[in-house]
């Protein structure tokens, strides 16, 4: 809370949970983020849409410092991510301080990244025991409850290789929730799944949104964005092109780039629907 | 598709492909083995009863347990532990650690173990008669200040220490660490980058990520070549003679051979012991591979990827 966060807020809880200003990032001279500004309020569900290469996954990874940023600032719950500001100078945080900041942020990956040498239960218990220092008994109790929450209470002793993609992704969500994060980041959580397994993962995410979790979701699932998101943000070429309520952006886009992207997505959805009935 | 076209095809009960050459090979090998056994029995110069007695002589057993087995265990514990540290250093973002690791591996891989053990056994004591732990340049500082104490806290007589098994373990372990570092590095690099990211995203520090997530998975790749290294180390303990350490299997059997002028039976005794020790190690390796293979592959056969299991499977499927 030491950082001076420029905000129009007057009350203590009125500032946004995520406050990103002018975030830039380049990979080997290739500018991927060109000055992203984004605020996400507590309890808000934001879907990031856009063609591949638009920078949405990179921006998500910058929030919990899996990528470092070249310019701009990101605050999460008032904490400046990755740096401490002293006497007008930025200082890199140590490995331990960065790890402490990440504890507050859950992340779900496209390819699950469960620990293959641990059972589903051990995967969920790992961070609470090893990072938060909880007792094994307490962590186990909570892990079993989380497995129940994601509909897998009969799979505690299964290894990831024995689970389907959809089940693995649900364990991955439970693993992230075990640290009681303030914010959940989802990086294309259903893109690597077979179509018939997408629904079970989205169901868990929908429930999470209803329970009031703050979520930033990179996704291509238009129907999920339309139903669940409070706001959709359309990115292209490393900038935010357009944002607003899902019904406005998805049904009535203002920018040409958004329109052509949504046309392509709709085309794919129609194709997908047309194939089984054909 | 022949005479029962109206019936749907039932279970498959096909004849196996004939393998006549397997039978020919089997007969040839059986004849060769019979000839060998016959020569063992009829040629008295083998003198197996004497070889078996030599295997049970106290100096031989003493050498086997101390020099060969304890030497192997000690050198491998030091080698694996230090090797993993050097391997991790090699992958560090810290350029100083990377450099130290590179130079270490370069030096100890280049120097033959026999030469290294000779240097540690005789050369080191010639260069430095004592090994002192104290304030750096303590003797010079004490001389300048005229102190009676030379600022040394601990002193070891190198000439006495140099021909002990402990020195042999240090020598073989230092050499082994260089090879293990490369094996550990390959193992660590084999673990998917997403694993590190997932651990970091959960708030784990780099050290904890390495210990809890990366290394346990790297072990799956590290264990098989480490078993190989361990078996090689069993045989390399015969180099302990360079120090010289004589409580070691090969020297002890050879000494009996020269004393009794029965060279060959004593070599048979040594060979049999090496075979037994290495066989036991293979069983241990099999267990470790199962242990670190858990969670990989599916079904009841999970983890049963040992050579023995594969052979059993092939023998069963081969049919002939």
């Amino acid at each position: 809370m030491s950082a001076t966060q420029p905000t129009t807020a007057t009350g203590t809880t009125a500032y946004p949970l995520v406050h990103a200003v002018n975030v830039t990032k380049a990979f080997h001279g290739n500018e991927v983020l060109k000055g992203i500004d984004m605020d996400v309020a507590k309890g808000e569900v934001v879907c990031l849409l856009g063609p591949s290469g638009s920078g949405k996954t990179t921006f998500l990874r910058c929030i919990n410092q899996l990528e470092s940023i070249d310019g701009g600032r990101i605050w999460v719950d008032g904490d400046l991510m990755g740096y401490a500001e002293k006497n007008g100078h930025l200082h890199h945080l140590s490995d331990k301080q960065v790890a402490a900041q990440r504890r507050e942020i859950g992340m779900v990956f496209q390819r699950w990244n469960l620990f293959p040498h641990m059972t589903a239960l051990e995967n969920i218990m790992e961070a609470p025991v090893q990072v938060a220092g909880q007792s094994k008994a307490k962590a186990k109790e909570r892990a079993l409850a989380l497995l129940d929450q994601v509909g897998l209470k009969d799979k505690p002793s299964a290894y990831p290789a024995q689970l389907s993609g959809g089940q693995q992704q649900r364990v991955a969500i439970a693993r992230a929730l075990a640290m009681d994060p303030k914010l959940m980041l989802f990086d294309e959580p259903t893109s690597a799944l077979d179509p018939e397994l997408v629904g079970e993962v989205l169901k868990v995410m929908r429930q999470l949104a209803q329970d009031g979790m703050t979520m930033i979701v990179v996704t291509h699932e238009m129907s999920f964005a339309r139903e669940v998101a409070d706001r959709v943000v359309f990115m292209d070429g490393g900038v935010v092109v357009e944002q607003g309520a899902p019904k406005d952006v998805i049904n009535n886009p203002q920018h040409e780039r958004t329109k052509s992207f949504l046309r392509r997505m709709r085309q794919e959805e129609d194709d997908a629907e047309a194939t089984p009935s054909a | 598709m022949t005479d029962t076209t109206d019936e749907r095809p039932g279970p498959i009960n096909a004849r196996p492909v004939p393998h006549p050459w397997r039978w020919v090979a089997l007969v040839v090998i059986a004849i060769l083995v019979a000839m060998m056994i016959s020569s063992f029995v009829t040629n008295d110069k083998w003198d197996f009863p004497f070889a078996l007695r030599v295997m049970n002589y106290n100096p031989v057993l003493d050498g086997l347990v101390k020099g060969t087995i304890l030497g192997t265990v000690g050198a491998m514990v030091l080698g694996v532990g230090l090797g993993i540290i050097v391997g991790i250093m090699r992958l560090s973002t810290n350029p100083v650690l990377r450099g130290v690791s590179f130079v270490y591996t370069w030096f100890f891989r280049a120097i033959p173990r026999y030469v290294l053990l000779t240097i540690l056994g005789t050369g080191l004591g010639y260069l430095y008669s004592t090994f002192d732990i104290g304030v750096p340049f303590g003797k010079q500082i004490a001389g300048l200040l005229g102190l009676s104490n030379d600022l040394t806290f601990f002193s070891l007589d190198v000439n006495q220490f140099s021909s002990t098994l402990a020195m042999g373990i240090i020598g073989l372990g230092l050499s082994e660490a260089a090879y293990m570092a490369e094996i550990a590095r390959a193992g660590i690099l084999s673990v998917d980058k997403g694993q590190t990211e997932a651990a970091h995203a959960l708030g784990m520090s780099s050290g904890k990520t390495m210990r809890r997530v990366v290394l346990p998975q790297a072990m799956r790749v590290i264990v098989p070549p480490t078993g190989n290294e361990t078996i090689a180390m069993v045989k390399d303990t015969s180099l302990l003679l360079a120090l010289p350490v004589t409580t070691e299997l090969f020297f002890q059997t050879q000494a009996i051979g020269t004393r009794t002028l029965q060279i060959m039976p004593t070599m048979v005794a040594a060979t049999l012991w090496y075979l037994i020790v290495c066989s036991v190690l293979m069983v241990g390796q099999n267990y470790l591979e199962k242990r670190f293979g858990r969670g990989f592959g599916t079904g009841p056969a999970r983890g049963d990827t040992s050579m023995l299991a594969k052979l059993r499977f092939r023998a069963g499927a081969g049919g002939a």
Side-chain angles (χ1 to χ4, degrees), chain A residues 10 150 211 239:
Chain A
T10 47
V150 300
D211 294 346
V239 295

Side-chain angles (χ1 to χ4, degrees), chain A residues 46-57:
Chain A
V46 174
C47 280
L48 298 186
L49 307 179
S52 55
S54 60
K56 53 196 194 307
T57 288

Side-chain angles (χ1 to χ4, degrees), chain B residues 1-2 14 44 48 83 121 155 162 172 177-178 193 199 205 212 230 232 237 243 245 250 254 282 302-303 308:
Chain B
M1 290 284 275
T2 48
D44 291 339
F48 284 103
S155 188
S162 65
L172 290 173
K193 209 171 127 263
S205 64
R212 298 285 309 174
T230 310
T237 54
L243 280 169
V245 165
F250 178 66
Q254 201 185 26
M282 278 172 73
R302 175 165 50 86
L308 277 174

